[in-house]
Amino acid sequence: MNAHCPLSNPPPTSSTTPNPKRLRMESQTGDTTPVKIAVDYPSGPRVYQLTPSRKAMGIDLARRRFGSLAKYAVRHKDLQISIKENVCALSWRKLHNELETRTPVLYTLLRSCIPAKIGRNHDEELLKYVQHLESVLKTEQVDENQQLDEEQFESNRVANEHDGDGGETTEEEDDEEDGDGTTEEDEEIYGYDGITEDEGSCDEDNEEITRVEDSDEEMQELDKSKADYEDADSDNSGSDDFGSGTQFPTQSNPEEPLRNQCTPFELIQSDAISNDVTIAGATVSQFCDPKTRFYFKLVGDNIDKNVKPRYMRSDNQTKSLHYFHVYAVADRVDTSQSSNQTNIIWDPQSVNLQVLLPSIDDERMMKENFCTLISRVLVKHMKHLQPYTSTVSQHILHKYSKEMSEKSQLIPLGVILKNENQVDEMGQIMEILHKYVPCQQSSDEIELASGQLLSVKYTKFLHILMGGDQLTVSRMRSVHEGLENSNCPRERLEGLVPVVEDWHAKVIFLKVIWSRLYKYASTSDRGTLYHLRNLVHRKNVRNNPEKDVNASEDFLLTTVQSHILSAAMTIFGMDSLEDQPDINMFPEHDQDIPDKTTVLKSAVEIIVHEFVDIGFRPQRKGRKQKPKDNLDHTQEYAKELLSLGLFYLEFQDAIREGDGLRVLRCWKFMFLWFRSTGHTNYTIEAMTLLTQYYFLFTPRLAEQLIWSRFINTHGGLGRNIPADLHMEHLNRICKQAVAHLGANKTPASILKISHALGMLQKMMHNFDNILGVAPVCMKHTKSSDDKDLMLMVKELNKASVFDYVEGRHHQCFPKIVANVFSSIDQAKLHKWMNKQFKSQLKASFLNH
């Protein structure tokens, strides 16, 4: 079989006869039919005989099966990276220039088809329209080339009638055979087209490769050559040497057998390349090599999808898919200088657990941040305080603000086809993820009593944090408990350390606020959450904020701002937002203000002192705090709403700024709120997080715990989000892609889509940039809530919720107090904390 191809310049001289070693390989396979390519050079023709592993490529080239040839090409590892980079950086300008150069007549015709009003001299608009017309022509050409002959059409019709549904498919027909007798998976593996042989050809006038007529013997040789080529390709795919030193396997499929002798981020890079994912910024060896300053973290969550059949039958019902989605993120804060030495705790009684509770300093720093948050609202909505806008900080900076303004380096690792709700499958998930844990085999010598030296081998781990919601981390701990009697640390999966994330905790804190302040029966109690909800017609706010988190959060933020303004108007003696505040606090003329920052801060501190109460005071032994008898419970309700709302703003702002210390301080307060409102699971998670930071983790892990909790997808100050919220975003993108599969929602297709998320996002972003489409995900634009805010402020002022009236109360909240911490039995709290700490200390493998 010969293929003819002209070239202008010959390559470097090489032998036209194959290597004897290749001939021996050919004789071993039993395939002796040679495949040769003839190339015309100016100096004369040359003939090259293809090796057995490349025979199939030559046959496909001769038969113009360019689709199969492309599949062979992209399997080459050296080509994979460059191909994906070129696809992500697709330039329509380059395609436009190629069209103009190679097909000038068609290009002129397309230009003439563009309406005159578009402006044919406008380069960018012309590019868009020409490319659109070109794509339409290509689509029509494909549709025309795909017309089957009568015999093929008749065979397909008979096959469809044999299926029994008239050719209509449902979402559950993924594994059924096509009309040609092959499954969809077979088509993908072998490049089977299921259409006429001539479909793959293009521009026959420009191609000079001689076509070879088919025969039965040649078809058998083709199939055998393909099999040989795929076997050789699969043998070569695993032959790369990734170095030595750490045991870290590399594979494209997480469920393949593990392989040793790899560095940690070379594995993630290998997975990323083979699964259509690219890495932004630094190389993977810089991303998380233990010898460099970068470390990484894994974040995972369940992804659920219901597949409904078009025609439901007793044996064809809705399928509920439950899988596990994971991504890796590099640390932006350098923790390499911190120690990796564990401080082993021998006596739990020697530990002072009081550090886990909010202190006076924590309360003071929290209220200082409250002043900044309140100032932002006042200068925005009060006319006479707008000159103070420049004195208000829009970002509460911290020592790592620069690092947290950098764009995060992310690697989507795809979906694992296991269900985290099943303990055994959660164990399999952790076994799959444990391959990403950098480890190294070490040995040590122990001197026995007899003086003999005994060599002991053991495994050292660079522990990797595994983030998730409460359900995910509790399942992981259950797996660790079940494996605690295994022989070695690798079998006990000690390389993965579960840690809880922030977004789901913030949702639970919304439920805390609702459980304290939201009741359907309070519609007649002026100033309550449900009354204000009806006032501004927020019908999408539910009794359970988890049903619509965005609506509940938006309503809460508007309500908190209205309470801030109403409290400020009470302190400043204002009847409306247009009035001049008390002249004793704010001078009438700007030149009379020596220091605007000090003046505004002093005024805001009065609001915080009067109406915000989040203090936690240790009780004396044998004494409990008793509520006062002369309280105004309506005012107490407003105080608690303002206190909880400001705390929610503080937690939200700390996450946006990526301030790990502020977030840790918030967890101290949330620990008490979760405890007092009966959220037991998150009470345990809050204490676990605090004990991990203060007692159980090494200094390096403790630093990573608080500074690796955030994701910044675009870069910039104040643009961080919780790591588990980004996981939810990836789940949404994955589900949207899966929804377009129609009837092809198979585990294999879902797996491929999840691995390709990183590249898909880059391709879509590049495509939108070329077409001039405005980005839609940079920042959500919200319609103004000023009208709702003014209605709330007016209603709160009419009800005088911040004025003290002795004995006043709401009907649904008759005994409410501003500070729920006052009702906590601290003796029981400390007893429970001691018991919980002992169990955590026993279960922690980091303390051994």
Side-chain angles (χ1 to χ4, degrees):
M1 181 178 295
N2 297 325
H4 186 71
C5 181
L7 288 179
S8 58
N9 296 318
T13 58
S14 61
S15 174
T16 59
T17 60
N19 190 298
K21 182 178 179 181
R22 294 175 180 173
L23 291 177
R24 289 196 300 271
M25 294 173 58
E26 184 176 310
S27 62
Q28 292 175 2
T29 60
D31 184 6
T32 59
T33 304
V35 177
K36 299 180 180 180
I37 294 181
V39 183
D40 285 339
Y41 295 110
S43 59
R46 288 187 181 181
V47 179
Y48 300 90
Q49 181 172 336
L50 299 181
T51 60
S53 63
R54 293 182 173 85
K55 278 186 179 181
M57 297 177 63
I59 295 172
D60 286 332
L61 181 64
R63 294 179 176 175
R64 299 175 179 268
R65 292 182 174 175
F66 301 119
S68 300
L69 188 65
K71 290 182 180 180
Y72 295 142
V74 297
R75 289 176 184 172
H76 197 281
K77 287 191 174 182
D78 294 337
L79 293 176
Q80 283 182 351
I81 298 178
S82 60
I83 289 174
K84 291 167 185 175
E85 289 178 352
N86 292 334
V87 170
C88 290
L90 174 67
S91 174
W92 289 104
R93 169 65 59 188
K94 184 176 180 180
L95 296 179
H96 178 269
N97 295 337
E98 185 176 354
L99 177 68
E100 183 180 6
T101 303
R102 298 197 175 189
T103 57
V105 177
L106 175 62
Y107 177 77
T108 304
L109 176 63
L110 294 179
R111 283 179 61 98
S112 63
C113 294
I114 299 175
K117 64 179 181 180
I118 299 301
R120 297 175 184 172
N121 296 326
H122 197 288
D123 194 47
E124 294 299 329
E125 293 294 329
L126 180 65
L127 172 64
K128 297 178 185 179
Y129 278 88
V130 169
Q131 291 301 329
H132 175 71
L133 293 175
E134 181 188 7
S135 63
V136 172
L137 289 178
K138 286 184 176 180
T139 303
E140 295 294 334
Q141 181 184 6
V142 170
D143 292 340
E144 181 179 354
N145 290 337
Q146 286 181 346
Q147 297 297 323
L148 302 178
D149 56 22
E150 294 181 1
E151 181 179 357
Q152 181 71 21
F153 178 82
E154 181 66 16
S155 63
N156 285 347
R157 186 185 64 81
V158 174
N160 288 336
E161 291 178 355
H162 184 268
D163 290 340
D165 61 349
E168 295 182 349
T169 60
T170 69
E171 297 185 359
E172 302 300 321
E173 296 174 353
D174 301 338
D175 298 329
E176 295 181 4
E177 291 186 350
D178 296 334
D180 50 27
T182 61
T183 63
E184 182 182 3
E185 185 175 359
D186 293 333
E187 294 179 7
E188 181 180 358
I189 294 176
Y190 296 104
Y192 185 87
D193 294 326
I195 54 177
T196 58
E197 191 179 37
D198 295 334
E199 182 191 348
S201 62
C202 61
D203 288 343
E204 296 182 1
D205 296 337
N206 297 330
E207 301 292 342
E208 300 182 11
I209 298 178
T210 304
R211 179 175 177 79
V212 181
E213 296 297 327
D214 296 336
S215 66
D216 295 338
E217 293 180 358
E218 290 175 351
M219 292 300 294
Q220 294 176 3
E221 293 171 4
L222 171 63
D223 295 337
K224 191 170 184 179
S225 302
K226 279 187 177 181
D228 294 338
Y229 177 78
E230 290 173 358
D231 293 340
D233 183 77
S234 61
D235 292 339
N236 295 332
S237 64
S239 61
D240 294 348
D241 184 12
F242 287 89
S244 59
T246 55
Q247 294 182 351
F248 207 63
T250 179
Q251 64 227 32
S252 62
N253 188 340
E255 299 185 9
E256 292 179 2
L258 302 182
R259 201 178 85 193
N260 295 330
Q261 305 302 325
C262 295
T263 57
F265 285 124
E266 284 170 343
L267 167 68
I268 300 185
Q269 185 183 38
S270 176
D271 277 348
I273 293 173
S274 60
N275 294 326
D276 297 338
V277 182
T278 56
I279 302 167
T283 62
V284 175
S285 59
Q286 297 172 338
F287 191 38
C288 182
D289 193 316
K291 298 179 181 179
T292 66
R293 69 183 185 92
F294 292 107
Y295 295 89
F296 73 103
K297 174 183 180 179
L298 300 177
V299 181
D301 195 10
N302 62 297
I303 177 171
D304 303 321
K305 182 69 176 178
N306 290 330
V307 181
K308 298 180 180 180
R310 171 181 283 183
Y311 303 109
M312 188 171 292
R313 302 291 185 266
S314 59
D315 57 346
N316 189 20
Q317 297 292 310
T318 299
K319 293 182 179 179
S320 184
L321 306 179
H322 304 281
Y323 299 141
F324 194 77
H325 203 179
V326 193
Y327 74 89
V329 56
D331 291 354
R332 289 173 286 170
V333 173
D334 181 10
T335 60
S336 61
Q337 303 302 321
S338 301
S339 173
N340 256 326
Q341 191 67 28
T342 303
N343 183 21
I344 299 179
I345 300 174
W346 300 102
D347 183 15
Q349 301 296 333
S350 62
V351 175
N352 181 20
L353 297 181
Q354 190 66 33
V355 70
L356 306 181
L357 301 175
S359 64
I360 296 178
D361 289 337
D362 292 329
E363 180 186 356
R364 176 182 55 80
M365 289 185 285
M366 187 73 69
K367 288 186 175 181
E368 287 181 0
N369 294 336
F370 285 176
C371 291
T372 302
L373 299 175
I374 292 174
S375 299
R376 295 175 186 174
V377 177
L378 297 184
V379 299
K380 179 180 179 181
H381 295 285
M382 287 189 171
K383 178 180 178 180
H384 290 279
L385 295 185
Q386 290 179 358
Y388 294 81
T389 302
S390 59
T391 67
V392 179
S393 174
Q394 298 302 318
H395 299 281
I396 301 177
L397 302 180
H398 53 89
K399 61 179 181 179
Y400 292 127
S401 291
K402 181 180 178 181
E403 288 80 357
M404 288 302 163
S405 65
E406 298 173 358
K407 185 178 179 179
S408 298
Q409 300 178 21
L410 303 168
I411 304 178
L413 298 180
V415 167
I416 300 175
L417 306 179
K418 303 294 179 182
N419 184 5
E420 71 168 358
N421 293 320
Q422 304 294 330
V423 178
D424 56 340
E425 294 192 16
M426 187 69 210
Q428 297 174 30
I429 292 172
M430 293 180 64
E431 289 179 2
I432 294 171
L433 296 179
H434 203 271
K435 67 177 184 175
Y436 297 109
V437 177
C439 60
Q440 185 176 9
Q441 295 292 340
S442 302
S443 60
D444 200 358
E445 292 184 346
I446 300 176
E447 184 176 357
L448 302 179
S450 60
Q452 184 181 1
L453 294 178
L454 177 64
S455 179
V456 178
K457 295 183 179 180
Y458 58 94
T459 302
K460 287 184 177 180
F461 286 113
L462 178 65
H463 295 286
I464 299 300
L465 299 183
M466 178 68 196
D469 58 7
Q470 186 273 330
L471 177 63
T472 299
V473 297
S474 64
R475 297 291 189 222
M476 294 181 67
R477 293 195 189 100
S478 298
V479 173
H480 280 148
E481 291 175 2
L483 298 175
E484 61 182 357
N485 293 326
S486 299
N487 294 327
C488 63
R490 186 178 186 85
E491 293 180 0
R492 295 192 294 268
L493 305 178
E494 292 184 357
L496 295 175
V497 184
V499 293
V500 71
E501 298 297 337
D502 297 322
W503 184 75
H504 287 85
K506 191 171 74 167
V507 174
I508 298 300
F509 187 72
L510 270 178
K511 295 182 67 175
V512 170
I513 298 176
W514 257 238
S515 65
R516 292 284 301 170
L517 304 172
Y518 191 93
K519 290 183 180 180
Y520 282 149
S522 63
T523 183
S524 60
D525 292 331
R526 299 177 67 180
T528 59
L529 276 180
Y530 192 71
H531 169 73
L532 296 175
R533 176 253 193 197
N534 292 338
L535 178 69
V536 294
H537 305 287
R538 298 290 181 93
K539 299 178 182 180
N540 55 353
V541 178
R542 310 287 186 82
N543 189 41
N544 183 1
E546 286 183 313
K547 296 295 178 82
D548 194 335
V549 177
N550 292 331
S552 301
E553 182 181 70
D554 181 51
F555 170 65
L556 176 65
L557 296 181
T558 305
T559 304
V560 173
Q561 292 183 61
S562 67
H563 278 68
I564 290 173
L565 294 175
S566 180
M569 293 170 67
T570 301
I571 295 296
F572 298 162
M574 300 169 58
D575 294 329
S576 70
L577 295 177
E578 304 295 328
D579 293 346
Q580 171 71 32
D582 189 351
I583 199 171
N584 295 325
M585 296 182 181
F586 300 96
E588 186 174 0
H589 303 288
D590 290 346
Q591 58 269 22
D592 298 333
I593 306 176
D595 186 358
K596 291 183 179 180
T597 303
T598 304
V599 170
L600 181 61
K601 183 179 179 181
S602 300
V604 173
E605 285 178 348
I606 298 176
I607 301 175
V608 174
H609 177 74
E610 291 291 331
F611 301 125
V612 176
D613 189 0
I614 58 170
F616 179 75
R617 302 289 184 268
Q619 296 174 355
R620 296 182 181 180
K621 294 184 179 180
R623 293 187 179 181
K624 293 184 179 180
Q625 297 182 8
K626 295 183 180 181
K628 299 179 181 179
D629 297 332
N630 56 347
L631 290 177
D632 179 359
H633 293 286
T634 298
Q635 187 190 55
E636 292 291 301
Y637 179 96
K639 286 183 179 180
E640 183 173 12
L641 197 157
L642 181 60
S643 301
L644 294 176
L646 284 172
F647 178 84
Y648 190 88
L649 291 177
E650 165 69 4
F651 190 36
Q652 184 183 64
D653 189 73
I655 292 173
R656 288 176 177 173
E657 300 297 338
D659 193 337
L661 291 176
R662 284 174 67 190
V663 168
L664 186 73
R665 188 184 307 125
C666 290
W667 273 96
K668 291 184 179 182
F669 288 89
M670 287 194 298
F671 168 56
L672 296 179
W673 271 309
F674 292 152
R675 170 74 177 176
S676 61
T677 53
H679 292 85
T680 306
N681 290 335
Y682 266 90
T683 303
I684 296 174
E685 293 303 332
M687 182 174 174
T688 302
L689 178 71
L690 295 170
T691 54
Q692 285 173 338
Y693 178 79
Y694 285 105
F695 303 117
L696 301 181
F697 280 3
T698 65
R700 188 199 67 79
L701 269 182
E703 287 292 302
Q704 187 184 19
L705 173 66
I706 64 173
W707 297 111
S708 66
R709 309 181 64 81
F710 319 104
I711 302 296
N712 194 331
T713 56
H714 302 291
L717 279 175
R719 307 192 70 177
N720 292 277
I721 62 174
D724 51 339
L725 179 58
H726 183 70
M727 185 77 261
E728 298 292 339
H729 293 169
L730 290 181
N731 283 347
R732 181 188 61 194
I733 296 173
C734 185
K735 289 180 179 180
Q736 290 174 348
V738 169
H740 293 290
L741 292 176
N744 301 316
K745 295 184 180 71
T746 62
S749 61
I750 294 175
L751 195 65
K752 291 179 181 179
I753 285 178
S754 66
H755 286 150
L757 287 181
M759 173 168 277
L760 286 175
Q761 288 179 294
K762 287 189 175 183
M763 292 174 60
M764 291 187 296
H765 180 69
N766 179 62
F767 191 80
D768 289 343
N769 285 341
I770 294 173
L771 298 182
V773 178
V776 296
C777 59
M778 300 294 288
K779 186 176 181 181
H780 292 290
T781 57
K782 296 171 56 178
S783 59
S784 175
D785 62 347
D786 289 346
K787 183 177 180 180
D788 293 352
L789 182 62
M790 295 302 107
L791 287 174
M792 289 185 179
V793 171
K794 185 177 181 180
E795 183 67 20
L796 293 175
N797 290 339
K798 285 183 177 180
S800 303
V801 295
F802 286 103
D803 292 331
Y804 175 76
V805 179
E806 184 176 351
R808 186 174 53 162
H809 64 83
H810 294 303
Q811 292 182 359
C812 292
F813 305 95
K815 299 295 182 182
I816 193 171
V817 292
N819 191 343
V820 70
F821 298 159
S822 60
S823 61
I824 295 178
D825 190 334
Q826 297 192 21
K828 290 183 179 180
L829 174 64
H830 284 283
K831 183 179 179 180
W832 180 87
M833 291 174 62
N834 287 323
K835 181 181 179 181
Q836 191 67 26
F837 179 71
K838 290 179 181 179
S839 63
Q840 292 178 5
L841 197 62
K842 181 180 178 181
S844 175
F845 47 81
L846 295 173
N847 193 54
H848 297 163

